[in-house]
Amino acid sequence: MVGAANQKRIRIGDLLVAQQLISQDQLEMALSEQKNSGRKLGRQLVEMGFVEENTLLSLLSEQLSIPFIELKQFRFDPELVKMLPENLARRYRVMVLREDLDGILLGMSDPTDIFGLDDLQKHFSKPIKTAVVRESELLDILDIAYSRAEEIASLAEQLDEELSADAVDFTDMVTDATDSDAPVVKLLQKIFEEAINTKASDIHIEPDETVLRIRQRIDGVLVEQVMNEKRIAGALVVRLKLMSNLDISEKRLPQDGRFNLRFSNHNIDVRLSTMPVQFGESVVMRILDQSDGIRPLKEVGMPLDCMQRFRHIITRPHGLVLVTGPTGSGKTTTLYGAISELNTPERKIITVEDPVEYRIARISQVQTHEKIGLGFGTVLKAALRQDPDVLLVGEIRDAESAEIALRAAMTGHMVLSTLHTNDAVTSALRLVDMGVDPYLVASSLRAVIAQRLVRRVCDSCAEDYSPNDAEKDLIRRLSKGTRSTSTLKRGAGCPHCFNSGYRGRIGVFELLELNAPMADALRDANVRQFNDAAHAHPHYRPLSASAFDFAMQGVTTLDEVLRVSAQVEDESLAEIVNAAE
């Protein structure tokens, strides 16, 4: 039976009014909005900003005499969580936290739901007790615990059985699979659901000689699932090509396409690339969750002083600002964060992109199409006749687009763009290498911001540890002897982070503002002089320093600092650790 404390009937709205945490008018507004949204009243009040979630949960904990458990620090057991069917867990926003001789402890976002508790008790032979938990943290754990990996393997096996050994061509079966129950469609659905739940950025489908590998890039690292049903690769590729409006008969040449999906409340944009390989066709899909929206600058991890200087630069009336880094380093996130801050009624903003990743109201967004002659250069020339104040160029790819962007910056436009370079210092020199007049670069380029993404230490399994001698040496070198530490943070590995010790990523940045000595060096195309002037700038801090700060704060690890440093600094940092080992 459910404990007496849990059976207490509490009207959360009246309780909040009695405690003077909300007004009667706010309660009435929330009740009215609840009729349309269908949310629980407590969640509705939080969503409307009438009460803080922590305040609400603490009040429930006190009134019901039950614990309030922070799931971020809770080591959950996936097998215990699965004691409840997934549909019940999601319907009642509940998970199994612990089982002992006295009964079963359930974490609930709304422990006042006595009808739900009665229904849940039917599934257990032991009495149940409750604890209150945050709904967002609970849903994250449900996504992890009810992983689709087993279902994907089962569906792959089912599809393989349907493709008989003497089958030569899968095309007819796959193209006729209009029924959502067709195994190939269900398999793809589960693959995408798994990718969304784990927040994967990419899905790789790779046929090998005897197996099929499906890999997902989570926090920048590929996680692999190997299937013995290698023959299903062709069926998956055909279905994905159909979804992307590609030529299913062409298997000898690479193809690119895109399509949109909708799962629950997620609107997903998928960019697909196929490539012929030794044992079939390899497919890589970039997953872009449109429902996440644009991340503001304050959430990308930029240090406060760097962010303030960057904001000051982009609000100037003219000039070119570059965001640089390799593919997947978060350049687009930073650029969109910048133009979202500039997006005001008095500014005309035009973007030239390939492809348009986020749709933003009030901004004129143009997608290039090289096959019909709509390249970056063509669109930029047309955009300048549209009286813009701000131009966003998705990428400077060649001398033509670079020169047009620089001339636009010189003639009264603020231009934002990206460039594939290792660090901020080499970006200005890269423009000169492209064949652009050094004088034009020196006169128009205002600032370059370089960035990388480092993995965060998992909050749920983070633990202190003492650095070894090699790490102490690294700390002394990076801090130039000004810092010492006895403890650092690292993740021990837990279900929250798939035993990797990391969960989520954060950006590290270096911002280079061009000054007179640097401009003079550019005009003379003097590489050494420019490099010396850049490093002498009082506000310039390299990427490794930004990453090192996060390591000292326990946000990331020295391994991640070393990885960033190895990409942009000399190799001596890597040699420190190698020599010690």
Side-chain angles (χ1 to χ4, degrees), residues 410-424:
M410 185 182 280
T411 54
H413 305 88
M414 172 51 64
V415 182
L416 307 175
S417 189
T418 69
L419 197 64
H420 284 275
T421 52
N422 281 337
D423 60 10

Side-chain angles (χ1 to χ4, degrees), residues 318-438:
H318 56 85
L320 173 65
V321 177
L322 292 175
V323 181
T324 70
T327 301
S329 59
K331 299 187 298 295
T332 302
T333 300
T334 300
L335 277 182
Y336 271 103
I339 62 169
S340 66
E341 294 202 3
L342 296 174
N343 187 14
T344 57
E346 60 271 16
R347 284 194 183 96
K348 168 81 170 183
I349 302 177
I350 299 177
T351 74
V352 186
E353 305 171 70
D354 181 23
V356 173
E357 295 197 8
Y358 291 97
R359 281 74 178 175
I360 311 174
R362 198 189 289 121
I363 293 180
S364 302
Q365 297 174 271
V366 183
Q367 180 160 323
T368 61
H369 198 321
E370 295 286 353
K371 289 182 180 178
I372 61 171
L374 193 66
F376 276 96
T378 304
V379 179
L380 273 172
K381 290 174 185 175
L384 290 172
R385 295 193 289 269
Q386 293 279 312
D387 188 30
D389 297 296
V390 179
L391 275 171
L392 185 151
V393 184
E395 182 185 350
I396 290 180
R397 297 182 173 180
D398 51 36
E400 182 191 16
S401 57
E403 187 164 336
I404 296 171
L406 285 162
R407 290 194 183 281
M410 185 182 280
T411 54
H413 305 88
M414 172 51 64
V415 182
L416 307 175
S417 189
T418 69
L419 197 64
H420 284 275
T421 52
N422 281 337
D423 60 10
V425 174
T426 57
S427 298
L429 303 171
R430 173 78 181 109
L431 291 175
V432 176
D433 287 342
M434 282 182 170
V436 180
D437 186 343

Side-chain angles (χ1 to χ4, degrees), residues 42 44 64 78 85 88 145 159 175 185 199 234 277 284 293 309 435 467 476 493 495 506 509 529 534 536 566 579:
Q44 186 64 56
L64 293 170
L88 278 181
L159 178 58
T175 54
V185 177
K199 296 180 171 57
V277 292
V284 175
R309 288 187 290 125
R476 280 193 297 271
I506 191 169
F509 302 85
Q529 184 183 336

Side-chain angles (χ1 to χ4, degrees), residues 6-157:
N6 292 326
Q7 289 283 16
K8 191 191 299 182
R9 180 67 170 168
I10 285 183
R11 293 173 60 90
I12 189 64
D14 294 338
L15 183 61
L16 289 166
V17 171
Q19 297 281 335
Q20 298 184 340
L21 294 171
I22 63 171
S23 67
Q24 186 64 40
D25 288 343
Q26 288 175 323
L27 175 59
E28 296 297 333
M29 290 169 62
L31 287 168
S32 175
E33 186 64 31
Q34 184 191 20
K35 293 176 183 176
N36 299 322
S37 68
R39 295 189 184 102
K40 297 281 189 182
L41 180 58
R43 172 53 49 187
Q44 186 64 56
L45 288 163
V46 171
E47 293 288 334
M48 296 177 75
F50 292 158
V51 64
E52 292 287 336
E53 187 175 27
N54 279 356
T55 303
L56 175 65
L57 298 181
S58 297
L59 183 64
L60 283 174
S61 172
E62 181 183 340
Q63 292 296 317
L64 293 170
S65 301
I66 61 175
F68 169 31
I69 294 179
E70 298 269 6
L71 290 181
K72 273 191 176 180
Q73 277 72 46
F74 185 81
R75 296 287 188 93
F76 70 93
D77 183 341
E79 296 307 314
L80 274 181
V81 176
K82 290 180 190 174
M83 287 175 67
L84 267 178
E86 184 177 3
N87 64 321
L88 278 181
R90 293 190 182 278
R91 183 193 310 165
Y92 296 119
R93 298 293 197 260
V94 60
M95 65 174 282
V96 181
L97 298 175
R98 192 164 52 241
E99 180 183 18
D100 53 34
L101 294 175
D102 296 330
I104 292 172
L105 179 64
L106 300 178
M108 293 186 75
S109 62
D110 180 15
T112 67
D113 185 357
I114 58 174
F115 298 109
L117 286 166
D118 286 341
D119 194 12
L120 290 166
Q121 181 63 77
K122 297 172 187 175
H123 291 268
F124 299 104
S125 57
K126 295 180 180 180
I128 61 175
K129 299 173 286 186
T130 60
V132 62
V133 297
R134 284 192 187 87
E135 183 173 328
S136 58
E137 295 176 354
L138 169 69
L139 292 175
D140 281 346
I141 288 181
L142 294 184
D143 288 342
I144 295 168
Y146 295 105
S147 169
R148 299 295 188 273
E150 292 177 9
E151 291 181 61
I152 290 171
S154 174
L155 285 166
E157 188 175 337

Side-chain angles (χ1 to χ4, degrees), residues 94-296:
V94 60
M95 65 174 282
V96 181
L97 298 175
R98 192 164 52 241
E99 180 183 18
D100 53 34
L101 294 175
D102 296 330
I104 292 172
L105 179 64
L106 300 178
M108 293 186 75
S109 62
D110 180 15
T112 67
D113 185 357
I114 58 174
F115 298 109
L117 286 166
D118 286 341
D119 194 12
L120 290 166
Q121 181 63 77
K122 297 172 187 175
H123 291 268
F124 299 104
S125 57
K126 295 180 180 180
I128 61 175
K129 299 173 286 186
T130 60
V132 62
V133 297
R134 284 192 187 87
E135 183 173 328
S136 58
E137 295 176 354
L138 169 69
L139 292 175
D140 281 346
I141 288 181
L142 294 184
D143 288 342
I144 295 168
Y146 295 105
S147 169
R148 299 295 188 273
E150 292 177 9
E151 291 181 61
I152 290 171
S154 174
L155 285 166
E157 188 175 337
Q158 181 183 344
L159 178 58
D160 187 58
E161 289 172 1
E162 295 202 12
L163 300 173
S164 58
D166 57 352
V168 177
D169 192 355
F170 312 121
T171 304
D172 291 340
M173 172 193 158
V174 179
T175 54
D176 292 340
T178 54
D179 186 351
S180 60
D181 288 333
V184 67
V185 177
K186 289 184 70 176
L187 175 57
L188 282 173
Q189 181 180 345
K190 296 304 179 186
I191 289 172
F192 283 117
E193 285 180 0
E194 174 79 350
I196 292 162
N197 289 341
T198 57
K199 296 180 171 57
S201 61
D202 301 86
I203 302 172
H204 295 236
I205 298 176
E206 303 168 340
D208 210 333
E209 185 173 9
T210 58
V211 297
L212 172 66
R213 303 179 195 279
I214 296 181
R215 301 200 280 177
Q216 298 179 0
R217 192 173 293 280
I218 302 171
D219 293 337
V221 177
L222 286 171
V223 178
E224 184 175 84
Q225 183 174 2
V226 179
M227 300 179 180
N228 293 322
E229 298 79 16
K230 186 255 179 183
R231 289 180 299 126
I232 70 174
L236 293 178
V237 173
V238 170
R239 170 52 61 175
L240 289 168
K241 283 185 174 181
L242 286 170
M243 294 167 70
S244 308
N245 293 316
L246 300 180
D247 183 357
I248 61 174
S249 64
E250 180 56 77
K251 300 177 181 179
R252 300 164 302 169
L253 296 173
Q255 296 186 68
D256 295 316
R258 66 186 299 174
F259 56 90
N260 291 296
L261 297 172
R262 186 158 186 85
F263 285 120
S264 303
N265 297 321
H266 296 271
N267 186 23
I268 308 299
D269 188 26
V270 181
R271 280 184 276 160
L272 176 141
S273 171
T274 71
M275 184 174 67
V277 292
Q278 188 176 5
F279 300 107
E281 286 182 278
S282 169
V283 177
V284 175
M285 292 174 282
R286 169 63 57 91
I287 309 297
L288 183 66
D289 193 342
Q290 295 278 351
S291 47
D292 282 348
I294 296 171
R295 185 173 296 182

